[in-house]
Amino acid sequence: MERLPPNQRWVEELPVLHIDTVPPFDGVNWDLTVTGLVERPLKLTYQELLALAKVGSTMDFHCVTGVSVQDRLWEGVPFGTIVEMAGPKGRYATFQTATFYSTSLALEELEGALLAYRLDGGELPQRHGGPLRLIVPRKYAYKSVKWLSGSTFTKEKEPGYWESRGYSDVADPWG
């Protein structure tokens, strides 16, 4: 498989695209909630999230607008850690943001996903989704939710913001 998906071109900088204003973040009045079909619902403060084991993952980033960025270093908590902590009974996760945006993925699509709070060695800028962004490898960026505030585990897949407007639910840059 080619590294650059069809109809994409390499650019140097991550694009800054969003459909709403950047929400405020003060580091205190923020939490990540995990609810729905889980054995153990979670509510983590920002400090509790930062205290979890951190990993780094260098990956390419693909935007549905036709641009790709190589080798971005994302750092944060593996989504698998949240899965272990919550004990989901549903096979889908719907991700909510601090705004009105959402997307849904099957758990198997989330292998290697990261709850990122750092980018390229620094704090994740708010314009790129800080304080917390879901990063889903090998998917278009609209599945990598900015300003992540929660996840709800469900039995059925729920259409997200772009999917309910006709975008591919698969979000495969190569397909």
Side-chain angles (χ1 to χ4, degrees), residues 20-21 51 57 60 80 88 101 107 127 151 172 175:
D20 200 4
T21 58
S57 182
D60 298 338
Y101 192 87
L107 292 183
R127 71 182 181 279
S151 179
D172 181 358

Side-chain angles (χ1 to χ4, degrees), residues 1-6 8 10 60-62 68 137-140 171-175:
M1 179 179 295
E2 293 288 324
R3 184 174 182 186
L4 183 66
Q8 296 286 113
W10 294 119
D60 298 338
F61 190 81
H62 307 291
S68 293
R138 306 191 60 75
K139 297 280 186 191
Y140 276 126
D172 181 358
W174 289 269

Side-chain angles (χ1 to χ4, degrees), residues 21 33 66 68 71-72 82-83 90 102 108 115 117-118 137 146 148 160 174:
T21 58
T33 59
S68 293
D71 299 326
R72 293 288 93 125
I82 300 302
V83 169
S102 67
E108 57 266 16
L115 304 182
Y117 51 81
R118 294 184 58 80
K146 289 181 176 183
L148 184 63
W174 289 269

